């Protein structure tokens, strides 16, 4: 069987599972099976496959058909300007979260040195992307998951910013090191009872710990805001990702803890996704 036919066959299996990126996914998985890039696959689609490669490709298609996310099958996800190593231990970096990076880069255009804290650092996509762009900035990432921190460490080394990143396993309640110029966070913010309605890729394969925001979706956000108000310098900026319907409630929580609201940002689907505030 040649590459093209195998991809067609794999695509059909994924279409039957209602995966709407079926063809793209099959091409990416073929590239992985053959240890080539996607361009090679497309340009050489008449090439014959040997039995071993075809078997491996079919195994990868089966994994995808069980809704395992592509990023977890190929162990990588592109975010902002870099490729991140990912597995089942962290949330897969979302394009929507790039809004935080973009905003932080705007806010820090003329800053020489800054100490940044990322609460719930996960794969490190936000903090490490910023450290990569701002060579004089230092970052601290905390996460309750040791497995997530291991991933973050791999990424920090790959991006060559490990020397400027401190990583701690800690619950936000317990963390005491203070005095940050800037705090960023993408905490879990989905209501526990709504987790089951997320896409199969997400519910079945991404860590609940990174998604579950408790009964009203705000339990972690509340903790993050309270603690940030203690750890941040006066006039320090706080950039927080939120759920699409949480803006009003979170603005209120921020104001109660002494933050001035600078602006809210929308994601690619035009939902409110991020709040920028300043500690006063
Ligand atoms: N935006 C993510 C999702 O919809 C949730 C991220 C989070 O809870 N921080 O899957």
């Amino acid at each position: 069987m040649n590459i093209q036919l195998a991809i067609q066959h794999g695509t059909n299996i994924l279409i039957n599972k209602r995966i709407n990126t079926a063809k793209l996914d099959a091409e990416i998985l073929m590239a992985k099976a053959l240890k080539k890039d996607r361009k090679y696959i497309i340009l050489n689609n008449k090439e014959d496959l040997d039995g071993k490669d075809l078997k491996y490709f079919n195994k990868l298609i089966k994994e995808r058909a069980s809704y395992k996310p592509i990023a977890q099958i190929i162990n990588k996800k592109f975010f902002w300007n870099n490729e991140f190593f990912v597995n089942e231990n962290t949330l897969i970096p979302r394009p929507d979260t790039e809004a935080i990076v973009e905003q932080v880069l705007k806010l820090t255009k003329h800053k020489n040195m800054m100490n940044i804290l990322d609460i719930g650092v996960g794969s490190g996509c936000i903090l490490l992307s910023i450290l990569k762009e701002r060579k004089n900035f230092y970052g601290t990432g905390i996460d309750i998951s040791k497995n997530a921190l291991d991933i973050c460490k791999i990424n920090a080394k790959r991006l060559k910013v490990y020397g400027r990143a401190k990583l701690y396993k800690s619950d936000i309640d317990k963390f005491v090191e203070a005095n940050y110029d800037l705090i960023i966070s993408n905490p879990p913010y989905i209501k526990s009872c709504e987790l089951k309605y997320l896409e199969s890729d997400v519910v079945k394969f991404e860590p609940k710990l990174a998604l579950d925001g408790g009964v009203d979706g705000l339990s972690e956000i509340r903790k993050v805001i309270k603690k940030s108000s203690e750890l941040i310098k006066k006039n320090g900026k706080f950039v927080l990702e939120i759920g699409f319907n949480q803006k009003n409630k979170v603005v209120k929580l921020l104001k109660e803890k002494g933050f001035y609201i600078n602006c809210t940002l929308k994601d690619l689907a035009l939902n409110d996704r991020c709040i920028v505030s300043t500690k006063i």
Side-chain angles (χ1 to χ4, degrees), residues 139-237:
T140 299
I142 65 168
D143 207 291
I144 194 168
S145 158
K146 163 83 171 63
N147 289 336
L149 288 172
D150 289 342
I151 304 299
C152 187
K153 186 172 167 183
I154 292 173
N155 286 319
K157 287 185 173 168
R158 281 195 182 178
L159 268 66
K160 300 193 168 45
V161 298
Y162 189 51
R164 290 184 285 125
K166 283 195 272 181
L167 304 175
Y168 297 109
K169 181 186 174 320
S170 174
D171 190 326
I172 181 59
D173 292 334
K174 315 254 161 60
F175 192 71
V176 287
E177 226 181 82
N179 248 344
Y180 293 94
D181 301 297
L182 171 73
I183 298 183
I184 49 183
S185 185
N186 175 13
Y189 52 68
I190 312 277
K191 284 184 189 173
S192 305
C193 63
E194 287 176 359
L195 286 172
K196 56 179 180 290
Y197 302 119
L198 298 174
E199 282 175 47
S200 303
D201 294 36
V202 183
V203 208
K204 285 175 69 183
F205 290 95
E206 295 198 73
K208 296 275 172 307
L209 201 57
L211 295 161
D212 190 347
V215 179
D216 65 352
L218 294 169
S219 29
E220 299 309 311
I221 287 191
R222 252 184 232 106
K223 282 197 242 169
V224 169
I225 293 177
K226 177 174 181 294
K227 199 67 185 186
S228 295
S229 73
E230 298 160 12
L231 300 176
I232 200 166
K233 278 185 191 164
K234 190 172 184 292
N235 289 326
K237 289 271 189 289

Side-chain angles (χ1 to χ4, degrees), residues 72-109:
Q72 286 183 6
I73 303 176
I74 63 171
N75 292 117
K76 53 191 180 192
K77 177 77 186 178
F78 201 84
F79 178 88
W80 192 249
N81 256 335
N82 303 283
E83 198 169 83
F84 284 80
F85 176 80
V86 290
N87 66 13
E88 67 288 350
N89 292 323
T90 71
L91 212 61
I92 298 167
R94 313 285 206 250
D96 290 330
T97 302
E98 291 176 338
I100 298 192
V101 178
E102 191 180 353
Q103 190 59 27
V104 168
L105 293 178
K106 269 188 202 155
L107 289 170
T108 58
K109 211 178 263 170

Side-chain angles (χ1 to χ4, degrees), residues 209-271:
L209 201 57
L211 295 161
D212 190 347
V215 179
D216 65 352
L218 294 169
S219 29
E220 299 309 311
I221 287 191
R222 252 184 232 106
K223 282 197 242 169
V224 169
I225 293 177
K226 177 174 181 294
K227 199 67 185 186
S228 295
S229 73
E230 298 160 12
L231 300 176
I232 200 166
K233 278 185 191 164
K234 190 172 184 292
N235 289 326
K237 289 271 189 289
F238 180 33
V239 186
L240 176 67
E241 181 168 326
I242 56 162
F244 71 98
N245 54 2
Q246 295 174 330
K247 177 178 156 180
N248 294 342
K249 285 182 189 142
V250 178
V251 162
K252 190 162 166 274
L253 292 170
L254 282 164
K255 286 182 177 167
E256 280 167 14
K257 293 290 174 209
F259 287 95
Y260 167 82
I261 309 299
N262 296 93
C263 61
T264 9
L265 308 170
K266 293 195 185 292
D267 65 17
L268 303 168
L270 302 182
N271 292 310

Side-chain angles (χ1 to χ4, degrees), residues 101 104 116 126-134 137 184:
V101 178
V104 168
I116 308 174
I126 310 174
L127 181 68
L128 305 177
S129 298
I130 296 166
L131 293 184
K132 183 84 189 166
E133 302 258 2
R134 295 275 183 267
F137 288 13
I184 49 183

Side-chain angles (χ1 to χ4, degrees), residues 48-61:
D48 256 335
L49 284 169
D50 73 34
K52 205 167 88 300
D53 291 340
L54 182 61
K55 209 166 149 204
Y56 185 35
F57 171 70
N58 286 335
K59 178 180 158 281
L60 297 176
I61 288 288

